[in-house]
């Protein structure tokens, strides 16, 4: 079977007759009839009961119709995605885009590529939307061990501790890893950058609370039910009443990469990498 046959079948059902379907598709009636007959032959079942005045779905036709509509909808979606890739460049991110550099990169991009908007889209997945097809490139803060993707290192960010404003740690100007040991810690084990490997054996927080989004994570911390650790980008882009961010002076920095499909790099990729790297150097 092919898409032409599916379109003809759906058009006949929607229009009610082969003649009207042919008019909608800008084809001859004979072409539409042959396409539907070929679909029936391919599937090995009768889909339509034909009379001189109208057509009616068979039982099998009713079931095939639902699937045909889904296939055609998916094809239309793919076409929209392809068309969108020509009119905007979508950057996926799981947590905080490029942090304080986000607006600077957007403005610099708009000045040099006015016909191709740079759009940031959030996707809480390991590839920040790349594998799901919602992003053309992605900002990631966990190394992608996947041969399908290529990455470029943009720079590094400091780690920040995140605590409720009424937590005693909020009164300190900076924190150390040891300050976390007596608290439960909230993490996102899919896309987050905090793991117990940051602490020496026996010094890590005793309780780990897993969360699924930035909002859930911040809500848990603001309620005093856990503390957290994150990149400085989160501190820049996600202020929250009841939450205090404090730099962690002895924690290693977080590497920030830009990732894309190895076999399908987006247009103007080199320009984007250069702009982002320049922002982090600055």
């Amino acid at each position: 079977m092919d898409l032409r046959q599916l379109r003809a079948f759906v058009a006949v059902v929607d229009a009610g007759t082969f003649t009207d379907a042919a008019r909608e598709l800008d084809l001859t009636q004979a072409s539409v009839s042959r396409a539907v007959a070929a679909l029936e032959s391919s599937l090995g079942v009768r889909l339509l009961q034909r009379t001189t005045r109208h057509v009616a779905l068979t039982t099998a036709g009713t079931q095939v119709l639902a699937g045909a509509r889904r296939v055609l909808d998916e094809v239309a979606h793919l076409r929209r995605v392809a068309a969108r890739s020509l009119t905007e460049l979508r950057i996926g991110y799981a947590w905080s885009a490029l942090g304080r550099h986000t607006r600077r990169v957007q403005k610099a991009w708009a000045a040099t590529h006015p016909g191709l908007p740079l759009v940031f889209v959030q996707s809480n997945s390991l590839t920040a939307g790349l594998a799901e097809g919602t992003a053309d490139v992605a900002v990631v803060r966990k190394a992608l061990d996947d041969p399908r993707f290529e990455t470029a290192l943009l720079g590094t960010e400091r780690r920040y501790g995140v605590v409720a404003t009424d937590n005693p740690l909020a009164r300190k100007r900076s924190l150390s890893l040891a300050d976390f040991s007596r608290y439960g810690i909230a993490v996102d084990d899919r896309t987050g950058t905090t793991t117990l490997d940051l602490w020496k054996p026996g010094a890590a927080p005793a309780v780990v609370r897993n969360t699924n989004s930035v909002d859930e994570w911040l809500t848990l911390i603001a309620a005093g039910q856990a503390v957290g650790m994150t990149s400085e980008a989160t501190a820049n882009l996600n202020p929250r009443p009841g939450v205090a961010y404090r730099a962690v002076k002895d924690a290693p920095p977080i590497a920030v990469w830009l990732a894309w499909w190895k076999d399908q790099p987006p247009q103007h990729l080199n320009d984007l990498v250069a702009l982002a790297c320049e922002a982090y150097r600055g």
Side-chain angles (χ1 to χ4, degrees):
M1 72 185 75
D2 59 37
L3 294 175
R4 178 180 57 84
Q5 296 166 0
L6 293 178
R7 289 194 186 95
F9 170 55
V10 172
V12 170
V13 174
D14 289 344
T17 68
F18 282 84
T19 301
D20 291 337
R23 188 178 299 113
E24 289 293 327
L25 296 173
D26 196 23
L27 297 171
T28 65
Q29 181 178 337
S31 295
V32 174
S33 182
R34 283 194 299 268
V36 174
L39 179 61
E40 291 177 321
S41 176
S42 176
L43 294 174
V45 294
R46 179 63 65 85
L47 302 176
L48 297 172
Q49 295 289 355
R50 300 160 173 83
T51 70
T52 56
R53 295 186 177 181
H54 70 280
V55 295
L57 285 165
T58 65
T59 300
T62 300
Q63 297 171 329
V64 170
L65 177 65
R69 292 193 192 279
R70 285 196 297 271
V71 170
L72 295 176
D73 285 345
E74 285 298 321
V75 171
H77 171 70
L78 292 176
R79 288 199 171 111
R80 289 193 297 271
V81 169
R84 186 181 64 205
S85 69
L86 300 175
T87 58
E88 63 185 25
L89 183 59
R90 297 167 69 83
I91 302 184
Y93 67 95
W95 278 62
S96 304
L98 296 172
R100 63 188 174 89
H101 309 299
T102 304
R103 185 168 180 269
R104 175 183 174 183
V105 169
Q106 281 181 305
K107 289 178 70 67
W109 180 269
T112 55
H113 301 81
L116 187 68
L118 198 62
V119 179
F120 284 84
V121 291
Q122 187 170 21
S123 177
N124 196 38
S125 72
L126 186 60
T127 64
L130 273 184
E132 295 78 13
T134 59
D136 304 305
V137 292
V139 179
V140 293
R141 292 176 172 85
K142 294 179 74 170
L144 280 183
D145 186 19
D146 190 321
R148 298 176 299 169
F149 304 115
E150 195 76 61
T151 60
L153 180 65
L154 303 181
T156 60
E157 297 169 343
R158 292 183 298 170
R159 293 182 192 264
Y160 274 68
V162 193
V163 300
T165 51
D166 57 358
N167 186 303
L169 295 180
R171 296 196 290 268
K172 303 181 70 170
R173 298 189 58 167
S174 63
L175 303 177
S176 67
L177 288 171
D179 289 323
F180 294 82
S181 59
R182 55 190 290 258
Y183 296 97
I185 191 164
V187 302
D188 182 337
D189 58 8
R190 290 184 302 168
T191 62
T193 55
T194 302
T195 68
L196 297 185
D197 294 336
L198 291 170
W199 287 269
K200 295 179 180 179
V207 178
V208 176
R209 298 281 299 271
N210 195 49
T211 60
N212 298 306
S213 68
V214 179
D215 187 66
E216 181 182 329
W217 179 79
L218 286 171
T219 300
L220 194 68
I221 293 171
Q225 297 171 353
V227 297
M229 192 184 302
T230 188
S231 71
E232 63 180 287
T234 308
N236 282 305
L237 290 192
N238 292 278
R240 174 71 68 93
V243 168
Y245 292 93
R246 298 291 182 267
V248 183
K249 56 190 177 184
D250 57 348
I254 297 170
V256 184
W257 291 276
L258 201 66
W260 60 90
W261 285 93
K262 184 180 294 185
D263 61 354
Q264 194 176 7
Q267 57 180 325
H268 307 302
L269 172 66
N270 291 338
D271 294 346
L272 178 61
V273 172
L275 276 177
C277 287
E278 181 183 352
Y280 271 88
R281 284 195 300 269

